[in-house]
Amino acid sequence: VQLVESGGGLVQAGGSLRLSCRVSGLSFDDYATGWFRQAPGKEREGVSCFKSGSGGTQYADSVKGRFTISRDIAKSTVYLEMNSLKPEDTAVYYCAADFSCSYLHTVHATWGQGTQVTVSS
């Protein structure tokens, strides 16, 4: 399983970014895929996820209404559209895969290399 993220960067508060995660070596039917983030000095936080099988989605309360997860199965790519960004969204964002959304942010999941998102005030 390999996950490769892209799309991070520096943006002003209120701005938008889209992250992409190219996935290889797994089936979306068998794995949950999504995003978590880690800010300096803070614990890892699950952001959004596609459940395995049903493909249903879930979001952290902190991003509901602002972030949207989507995917293009033909391209094996998962996206995270981030709007109305806030300084507290600043973190390294990781794409991850596991059997359950609940475990994406744990060391048992498979992670990408991470991409930095910085939101200036």
Side-chain angles (χ1 to χ4, degrees), residues 17-92:
L17 282 174
R18 188 175 81 157
L19 306 182
S20 299
C21 175
R22 180 68 185 269
V23 177
S24 59
L26 64 79
S27 165
F28 287 124
D29 286 338
D30 297 330
Y31 284 81
T33 53
W35 302 87
F36 71 92
R37 64 188 181 185
Q38 187 164 27
K42 295 188 177 181
E43 295 186 351
R44 291 185 291 266
E45 176 190 22
V47 174
S48 185
C49 180
F50 275 108
K51 299 177 184 178
S52 61
S54 68
T57 58
Q58 61 183 53
Y59 294 89
D61 288 342
S62 58
V63 306
K64 281 181 181 176
R66 300 188 298 121
F67 290 13
T68 302
I69 192 171
S70 63
R71 65 187 180 186
D72 186 330
I73 294 175
K75 294 182 178 179
S76 296
T77 302
V78 179
Y79 303 98
L80 185 68
E81 184 76 33
M82 305 184 293
N83 298 315
S84 301
L85 282 161
K86 305 174 181 180
E88 51 263 44
D89 294 316
T90 296
V92 178

Side-chain angles (χ1 to χ4, degrees), residues 32 46 49-51 58 98-106 109:
C49 180
F50 275 108
K51 299 177 184 178
Q58 61 183 53
D98 196 88
F99 296 116
S100 170
C101 287
S102 299
Y103 299 114
L104 283 190
H105 65 289
T106 71

